[in-house]
Structures are given as C-alpha cells and as structure tokens.
Amino acid sequence: MCSLFGWLDYQGIVPYRIKKKLTQALANAAEERGTDAAGISYVHGKDVVIFKRPKPAHKLHFSIPERTVAVMGHTRMTTQGDEKHNYNNHPFPGLAGETAFAFAHNGVLWNDKELRKDKQLPDTHIETDSYVAVQLLQQSDKLDFESLKDMAETVEGNFTFSVLDQNNSLYIIKGSNPMCLLHFPAFGLYVYASTESIMKNALKRVGLHKFAYERVQTDEGDILRIDKNGVIERSEFEPRMFRARYGGWHDWEAEYYSVHEELLLAYCGCYGVDSSDVELLLEYGYTCDEIEEMLADHDLLNETLRDVKFMCGEDVYESYCGAF
C-alpha cells in the first residue's frame, strides 16, 4: 500500500510557486499510504533526476527547477527491501535503449525472483520486488507501449506503475491498484494520485480544488501516455489473473479474496485497524478503494462500522468475528 503521485504542466502557465507547493502537498497527502520513504523524479535538460530518502514526505523538501514540465512521485510502505538502504526506494532509474526513465510502483509483485532467474536478468543489489519491472524494460531495449505491455503481462501481483522518460512523457500502467487522474484544461495541467482522498487533500492545500477539472478514466489493463504537449495516447495489456497465496499459485477466481483484498487484510494493522473489521466491510459489499479511504479516516471507519453492525445485528457481528 504505497502511493503514486505527480503532475504534468503542458502549457507552462502554472506559476512555479504553485508547482512547488503542489509537489509537496501531493507528497504529504500521500503519506496516508506510506511513510517509510518518499521520492520524486523530474527532467532537467535531458537528465532524469531522482531525489529520494528513507523519510516520511513531510520531513523532506521537494525542490524542482523553475521550468520543470512534469514530476513523478512515490511514498512507500515497505514490503520487500529495507528502506534504510536508499537504493531500495522509489523512484528507480532505468535506461531502455537510449531512453532514460524513472519508474515507480504501487503494489506487490509475487514473481520477481522467478523472473530474474527465468529471464536471466542481471544480478542487482536492489532487493525491492518492483525493480524487476525496471529490469524487464531495460532488457527489452526500448520504452514504448509494446515494451510496457510485455512487462505488465509478465509480472504477477497487484500493481499500478508510473514511468517518466527523458522527453517528459508520463506513462501510467493501470493494474488492480487505484489511480485518480485529473485534467485542469484552463491551466494545461494534469494531476494524479493513487486515491481520491490524497487528491482532494492535496488540491485543497494548494487551492486548486476551486477550479474546474475533468476526470481522465483509467481502468485495469490501460496504458496511458501523456506527452509534454498534453496529448494522451492509450494502449492496453491483458492483466494476469494469478496470485500467490499460502505458498502456492492459484487462479484468483478459485480463492475467496482478491489480491487487493488480501493486501488490505495484511496491512490494515499498520493503521491500527483490526482485520476482522475489514473482513466485515468486505462481506457487506464495500470496495477495496472505499475501505482504503476509511483506513486513513478513523472517524469515517468507526461510523461505517457502527452502521454495518446495526444492519447486520450485533449478535450476527459477534458470531462472525468469533469465527476468526
């Protein structure tokens, strides 16, 4: 449960101070999904610059050059790879053919070790599961829709990826993890974040919530490319319906919970929430995205749980929880 965030300014009319403030506001708001590390990437000249540290976003000062076109960011909740070793944190640098890029991932990949062996990928000191996706792109020797499709169809797990290349093109590869992408046509500005709650929080801090925007739809299996001129191109990949559970591989439809649901159950304790409460909400029909927003807002969570327990009947709820 990490977070992706960022923006792309394709008209160059957004004031520099607003872009700096927006970068920090997005990073700070994204702490609701991870405080172990934070980082951003941007293009300066033809160089892809990455700044990241094993600290929560609010303890970092994210500075960007005045004419920055796009920023790609990440906040991390560690699942694999010690965040104290900064090379394990996102974004990661990559080079596919002659194209330099930065890469960030929200989610967990299950088959990274198998892929490194099967694809004969180079040895690396980076322990994070996400880095195998960078290695696959580098092995393809190009960065385009085809290589991103092949990578997304090769990895197994749950994910949404973001990529920023040296030409200020921003890619979003939408898997099962959430993504909120907005367009402010009056400013020539795209803004994205993993969840709506992060987006609303950040826009309010900057004052952009007062202005009209359009939602850009992203569905599982979508690959979006937004170039430096604000032009969106789309492609697709076929999501892999396999996941790891109890040490083995199974078709996800044969199991009770989805990947996203199991991650919620595994990590809800990090938010001080009991897994039985999450199970109850899942049983009652709340979506993973709705529950994730509740994890960051305990008042909303408690109010919802009260309503659900009332609807189910307290005796039913106690019986349900006792089964676990």
Side-chain angles (χ1 to χ4, degrees):
M1 289 173 64
C2 303
S3 180
L4 307 175
F5 64 87
W7 51 264
L8 189 147
D9 171 24
Y10 63 88
Q11 286 189 5
I13 63 174
V14 180
Y16 173 56
R17 62 179 182 81
I18 296 297
K19 292 192 289 188
K20 280 185 65 177
K21 190 174 180 181
L22 176 60
T23 302
Q24 192 72 53
L26 284 166
N28 290 358
E31 284 191 356
E32 71 176 46
R33 292 178 61 88
T35 57
D36 293 330
I40 63 169
S41 179
Y42 56 87
V43 178
H44 186 49
K46 278 293 184 180
D47 295 326
V48 178
V49 179
I50 293 174
F51 172 78
K52 56 185 178 180
R53 293 291 186 272
K55 296 180 180 181
H58 75 274
K59 292 188 176 181
L60 296 172
H61 175 67
F62 291 115
S63 181
I64 56 173
E66 188 166 351
R67 296 184 180 179
T68 299
V69 172
V71 164
M72 185 188 80
H74 184 274
T75 58
R76 186 179 184 210
M77 177 185 289
T78 303
T79 56
Q80 181 178 315
D82 189 346
E83 75 278 358
K84 293 182 177 63
H85 301 301
N86 200 38
Y87 51 74
N88 284 326
N89 298 322
H90 308 234
F92 298 104
L95 182 65
E98 297 182 354
T99 304
F101 65 91
F103 179 97
H105 167 215
N106 168 25
V108 178
L109 302 182
W110 310 116
N111 64 335
D112 54 307
K113 293 180 176 61
E114 291 86 348
L115 285 176
R116 289 194 176 98
K117 180 180 179 181
D118 295 344
K119 299 291 185 179
Q120 298 181 334
L121 299 174
D123 291 336
T124 176
H125 60 285
I126 298 174
E127 304 162 308
T128 313
D129 54 293
S130 313
Y131 190 66
V132 72
V134 177
Q135 290 185 298
L136 290 171
L137 292 173
Q138 293 185 143
Q139 188 179 69
S140 71
D141 211 32
K142 59 183 178 180
L143 182 65
D144 57 16
F145 283 135
E146 182 181 357
S147 63
L148 291 168
K149 177 180 184 293
D150 289 344
M151 178 274 292
E153 293 180 347
T154 300
V155 298
E156 294 176 346
N158 70 312
F159 61 81
T160 289
F161 301 121
S162 61
V163 179
L164 179 66
D165 73 17
Q166 67 186 51
N167 301 309
N168 276 307
S169 289
L170 174 68
Y171 295 86
I172 293 174
I173 303 92
K174 175 70 171 67
S176 58
N177 278 23
M179 171 56 61
C180 179
L181 174 61
L182 303 182
H183 178 215
F184 292 83
F187 305 134
L189 179 69
Y190 288 95
V191 184
Y192 72 93
S194 283
T195 68
E196 289 192 23
S197 62
I198 293 172
M199 180 71 76
K200 290 177 181 178
N201 191 341
L203 294 182
K204 189 173 182 180
R205 294 184 190 186
V206 181
L208 286 173
H209 66 294
K210 302 175 182 178
F211 298 93
Y213 61 80
E214 303 165 350
R215 181 182 295 275
V216 181
Q217 185 63 32
T218 57
D219 297 314
E220 185 173 3
D222 285 347
I223 305 175
L224 273 68
R225 177 181 182 265
I226 310 175
D227 70 15
K228 64 182 180 181
N229 299 312
V231 177
I232 293 184
E233 295 180 280
R234 290 178 179 263
S235 185
E236 296 180 344
F237 69 93
E238 186 67 32
R240 298 195 66 173
M241 297 302 185
F242 293 90
R243 65 190 178 87
R245 189 183 185 198
Y246 306 130
W249 292 98
H250 305 278
D251 190 309
W252 76 279
E253 290 181 336
E255 301 291 356
Y256 192 76
Y257 289 118
S258 70
V259 177
H260 199 171
E261 289 168 341
E262 286 206 352
L263 281 173
L264 281 174
L265 293 169
Y267 295 115
C268 61
C270 297
Y271 292 85
V273 177
D274 192 271
S275 61
S276 63
D277 287 337
V278 174
E279 286 170 333
L280 179 64
L281 294 173
L282 290 170
E283 288 293 310
Y284 198 69
Y286 283 91
T287 67
C288 291
D289 287 352
E290 289 172 331
I291 296 173
E292 283 188 359
E293 291 200 20
M294 294 180 205
L295 293 180
D297 185 346
H298 279 204
D299 289 340
L300 175 61
L301 175 67
N302 291 331
E303 180 181 347
T304 304
L305 283 170
R306 283 195 299 269
D307 292 342
V308 171
K309 292 175 188 178
F310 176 78
M311 295 298 294
C312 292
E314 191 66 37
D315 56 337
V316 175
Y317 174 73
E318 294 296 339
S319 174
Y320 176 85
C321 290
F324 295 91

